[in-house]
Amino acid sequence: MSKEIHDQKCYPYHVDHLPTSFYQKALEELNESAEAREIELNKLKDLLSADKFTAGIEFEEDFLHLFLRYRKYNSSQAFQALKKFVNFRRNFSSIFQSVPEVYSKETPSTKFMSILPYRCPDGCVIVLCELGKWSHNELSIEDIKTICMFSFLISLRHPMTQISGFKMIYDYADTVKHFRYCTPQNISLIYNASFNCLPCRYKEVHCINKSALLTATWAILKHALPRKIRERFFFHSKPEDLLNYFPSSVIPTQYGGSLDSYHDSELMQKLNDEINNYPEKGMPNYF
């Protein structure tokens, strides 16, 4: 990564306004003009009200704009994506509930998923998943699915996240013990949640500390992923290679960065509380 990127401003995860530059980014990358917001929103509402599967659901307007951003203000494509969300929400309602009292216990397993405190200079949220920290004796596989769900879904209440998307870091160290959970059913659910349910823009996926679990899951997923998404996966021979893609200030010290404290239990508890029975109609933005 160039010195210019390292020197750029990194926004915090928590932002209470959308900087002017991101309105321009939304226009250039997502076709989001004032005219498109009004016209495509009305088209989407008409499609939803005319469809028996979604008729009667009073969707939050912010939630509709989330899907419009996801599909670059193409109301027809946003409509199809939203129907998939509603269908997934109905079929897998259990992972849209809060995990009771998990973070009050402060077990090591609760720290397997971290939303890092700073975004990339381009506004992307950075999500770190350290699967090796998870013990099935402390958290069930269903709890893991829920935590993954709210880490992404609730983060999408930030307009900056809707526009910029996510960059993920998956650390596969000490994950051989989880190989038994690498079932077709679980992999299918992960795929459907990630690409048919959540309206996420995945900008980069970085995998470090290669293991048998990574080898097995990638052997299956790579055939299902569109080429555009496959090209956004990066497999690193050493964790320090992350510094070729991220400023050192946003990467934990264990991977060669300068970020000392990176897991925010209070934030994860807040997101856990907010997902409580996440409604089909969606939730409003934070601002």
Side-chain angles (χ1 to χ4, degrees):
M1 179 177 287
S2 67
K3 182 179 184 298
E4 289 76 14
I5 295 295
H6 277 286
D7 290 342
Q8 286 183 19
K9 177 181 179 180
C10 293
Y11 292 93
Y13 170 76
H14 288 292
V15 286
D16 58 7
H17 69 288
L18 191 63
T20 303
S21 61
F22 286 89
Y23 289 102
Q24 185 63 29
K25 182 175 183 177
L27 175 61
E28 294 175 357
E29 296 184 11
L30 308 179
N31 305 315
E32 184 176 346
S33 63
E35 182 180 22
R37 282 181 64 87
E38 180 179 357
I39 293 174
E40 296 302 314
L41 176 63
N42 288 331
K43 286 182 179 179
L44 178 56
K45 286 181 176 179
D46 289 343
L47 289 168
L48 291 167
S49 62
D51 188 271
K52 63 180 181 180
F53 191 71
T54 52
I57 303 175
E58 297 182 4
F59 290 100
E60 294 280 353
E61 281 204 2
D62 284 345
F63 196 58
L64 297 182
H65 279 295
L66 164 59
F67 277 86
L68 285 166
R69 282 173 167 162
Y70 176 53
R71 289 308 185 205
K72 299 185 177 182
Y73 275 84
N74 181 313
S75 54
S76 296
Q77 293 183 10
F79 169 61
Q80 295 300 328
L82 189 44
K83 283 182 65 177
K84 289 179 181 179
F85 171 85
V86 173
N87 185 58
F88 190 92
R89 170 67 181 81
R90 292 176 181 176
N91 290 334
F92 299 97
S93 59
S94 63
I95 62 175
F96 289 83
Q97 313 295 324
S98 296
V99 178
E101 300 182 0
V102 167
Y103 292 98
S104 62
K105 297 177 181 178
E106 279 295 309
T107 61
S109 288
T110 63
K111 297 183 178 181
F112 88 94
M113 182 72 83
S114 300
I115 295 175
L116 299 189
Y118 295 99
R119 297 167 179 264
C120 287
D122 59 8
C124 287
V125 169
I126 308 172
V127 179
L128 170 62
C129 184
E130 300 171 272
L131 287 169
K133 289 185 174 180
W134 168 46
S135 168
H136 69 274
N137 293 321
E138 295 174 346
L139 288 176
S140 70
I141 185 65
E142 296 306 310
D143 290 338
I144 294 295
K145 294 173 184 176
T146 295
I147 292 169
C148 291
M149 177 59 71
F150 71 62
S151 295
F152 291 94
L153 186 56
I154 304 300
S155 291
L156 286 167
R157 295 183 69 189
H158 285 286
M160 187 183 290
T161 308
Q162 298 173 10
I163 294 169
S164 298
F166 295 88
K167 293 183 182 179
M168 284 87 77
I169 301 171
Y170 289 100
D171 184 347
Y172 283 86
D174 193 28
T175 56
V176 174
K177 59 189 177 184
H178 301 322
F179 198 82
R180 60 176 166 166
Y181 296 104
C182 185
T183 64
Q185 292 81 4
N186 284 335
I187 292 176
S188 176
L189 186 142
I190 291 169
Y191 177 85
N192 284 325
S194 300
F195 300 104
N196 292 329
C197 168
L198 293 174
C200 297
R201 304 187 72 209
Y202 303 109
K203 306 305 290 185
E204 295 174 4
V205 180
H206 297 268
C207 300
I208 57 177
N209 294 318
K210 184 179 179 181
S211 75
L213 182 66
L214 172 58
T215 301
T217 54
W218 181 244
I220 299 172
L221 284 177
K222 68 180 180 181
H223 298 295
L225 295 173
R227 180 179 178 181
K228 177 182 177 181
I229 299 297
R230 289 200 307 270
E231 291 176 346
R232 296 179 181 179
F233 276 73
F234 301 90
F235 302 89
H236 302 296
S237 58
K238 57 184 185 297
E240 291 77 11
D241 287 345
L242 292 171
L243 300 182
N244 294 324
Y245 298 85
F246 299 90
S248 60
S249 60
V250 304
I251 295 298
T253 54
Q254 68 201 60
Y255 304 128
S258 58
L259 185 63
D260 289 321
S261 178
Y262 63 90
H263 181 82
D264 188 341
S265 295
E266 291 185 5
L267 168 62
M268 300 304 285
Q269 179 65 66
K270 177 177 180 292
L271 301 186
N272 180 48
D273 292 342
E274 286 185 21
I275 202 174
N276 185 30
N277 196 26
Y278 191 96
E280 291 179 351
K281 68 176 184 176
M283 298 178 72
N285 294 343
Y286 285 124
F287 60 88

